[in-house]
Amino acid sequence: MATRIDGKKVAADIKADLAERVERLKAQGVVPGLGTLLVGEDPGSVKYVAGKHADCKEIGVNSVKKELPADASFEDIANAVKELNEDPACNGFIVQLPLPKGIDQNAIIDLIDPAKDADGMHPYNLGELVLHVRGDISTPLPCTPRGVIELLKAYNIDLNGKEVCVLGRGITIGRTIGLMLTRNAVNATVTLCHTGTKDVADHMRRADVIVAAMGSAGFVTPDKIKEGAVLVDVGVSRVFDEEAGRYRIKGDVDKACYDKASAYTPNPGGVGPMTRAMLLANVVEMAERSL
């Protein structure tokens, strides 16, 4: 029977450890703080940011909130980023994406102080990840890829020498997880598949591990995987459920694959909680580095 990889449980264990580290920091006069910049009132973004601050409260991290209206100018957003860069109560922060239409998101991300980049997605930090393939790295790491690796590690799934097929080339997971998986500390061999890849199924059938991050509901089916593969489902799609009469979140991995796999992450309840836990881990580590 395949192992169900419980992201909620692992994330809870990580947060418990982080809470202890936060207490030790406070004893030394350091209170870790996570900042968020929310522009507009997109329901998904509002809920996501609220969840981050609830996580902060759970482990004793200070919350720094900045909110701007949907019609905020580039200059307004840039000034808010500058304020967070300079705020000593904020060890790290995120700019909640997407930003309103007409705002250059990459230009805003470039304005973040790399040392305060809680998402680990600033070009400088991604460059450090590329350069430090062989040794330790002390810059913030991308949350979702880090969460995937920590989740597999918690279940003693060794990636050393394994063939990993990554589906999707988005910067949040697809491109960045390849950088992390091929570091000496992990030592996997990665094939990155995307819309231009010929015979994606052929690559999938050779893989020991599949990381699906396409946002294509049920794309990974039993005929496309080999017996005993490990399935990591990062994809998120809203699919209308005719019976229930409402939309449901569905991942990239068809549940029919579970019987053929050796282990799998459910969706929801797999990688999602780990992404949030890794954001907290980045902030606590930033505070620890400030000592």
Side-chain angles (χ1 to χ4, degrees):
M1 180 180 292
T3 299
R4 182 182 184 274
I5 299 174
D6 191 343
K8 290 183 179 180
K9 180 183 182 303
V10 177
D13 292 341
I14 289 171
K15 287 193 285 187
D17 173 69
L18 290 173
E20 293 179 2
R21 290 161 63 183
V22 168
E23 286 304 309
R24 289 197 291 270
L25 284 165
K26 288 180 178 179
Q28 299 175 77
V30 176
V31 181
L34 170 66
T36 59
L37 174 55
L38 176 64
V39 184
E41 298 179 352
D42 174 76
S45 294
V46 170
K47 182 178 180 181
Y48 197 56
V49 167
K52 288 176 170 61
H53 289 289
D55 289 340
C56 287
K57 185 176 181 180
E58 184 180 344
I59 70 165
V61 168
N62 185 40
S63 289
V64 180
K65 301 179 184 178
K66 283 193 176 295
E67 297 180 354
L68 294 173
D71 60 356
S73 67
F74 180 91
E75 289 72 23
D76 293 333
I77 300 171
N79 286 333
V81 170
K82 181 180 179 182
E83 290 172 4
L84 288 167
N85 281 337
E86 297 173 352
D87 188 348
C90 168
N91 295 98
F93 68 94
I94 64 155
V95 176
Q96 182 62 37
L97 302 179
L99 293 174
K101 290 182 179 179
I103 301 296
D104 187 339
Q105 295 188 163
N106 289 333
I108 291 295
I109 298 301
D110 286 349
L111 297 175
I112 296 173
D113 179 349
K116 286 194 168 187
D117 169 30
D119 262 336
M121 299 299 289
H122 188 281
Y124 176 88
N125 291 326
L126 293 178
E128 285 288 293
L129 183 55
V130 172
L131 291 171
H132 294 280
V133 66
R134 291 185 175 83
D136 294 333
I137 185 166
S138 59
T139 49
L141 295 169
C143 296
T144 302
R146 182 182 183 185
V148 168
I149 293 171
E150 291 297 326
L151 193 52
L152 297 180
K153 187 187 299 183
Y155 277 78
N156 297 313
I157 296 173
D158 186 12
L159 295 172
N160 183 46
K162 297 294 178 62
E163 293 278 348
V164 180
C165 179
V166 178
L167 304 175
R169 55 183 165 186
I171 191 64
T172 304
I173 176 71
R175 287 175 182 260
T176 46
I177 196 169
L179 297 174
M180 294 187 65
L181 288 169
T182 51
R183 295 183 69 236
N184 278 25
V186 182
N187 232 21
T189 298
V190 178
T191 300
L192 176 60
C193 296
H194 45 76
T195 52
T197 303
K198 294 182 179 179
D199 198 359
V200 174
D202 185 53
H203 293 287
M204 293 167 65
R205 292 187 193 102
R206 293 200 301 268
D208 302 303
V209 180
I210 294 175
V211 179
M214 303 174 70
S216 179
F219 179 83
V220 181
T221 51
D223 60 303
K224 297 175 184 173
I225 68 172
K226 74 177 184 180
E227 193 76 35
V230 175
L231 306 176
V232 180
D233 192 353
V234 193
V236 176
S237 299
R238 292 179 73 246
V239 178
F240 190 74
D241 186 327
E242 295 287 352
E243 290 185 11
R246 63 185 178 89
Y247 283 93
R248 293 185 183 276
I249 297 299
K250 190 171 181 179
D252 287 354
V253 177
D254 189 322
K255 292 181 180 180
C257 294
Y258 295 170
D259 288 339
K260 194 174 181 179
S262 61
Y264 66 90
T265 64
N267 193 340
V271 176
M274 292 297 294
T275 298
R276 287 168 58 173
M278 292 301 100
L279 180 69
L280 295 173
N282 277 347
V283 171
V284 172
E285 288 166 1
M286 289 169 177
E288 291 171 338
R289 285 195 286 268
S290 72
L291 292 173

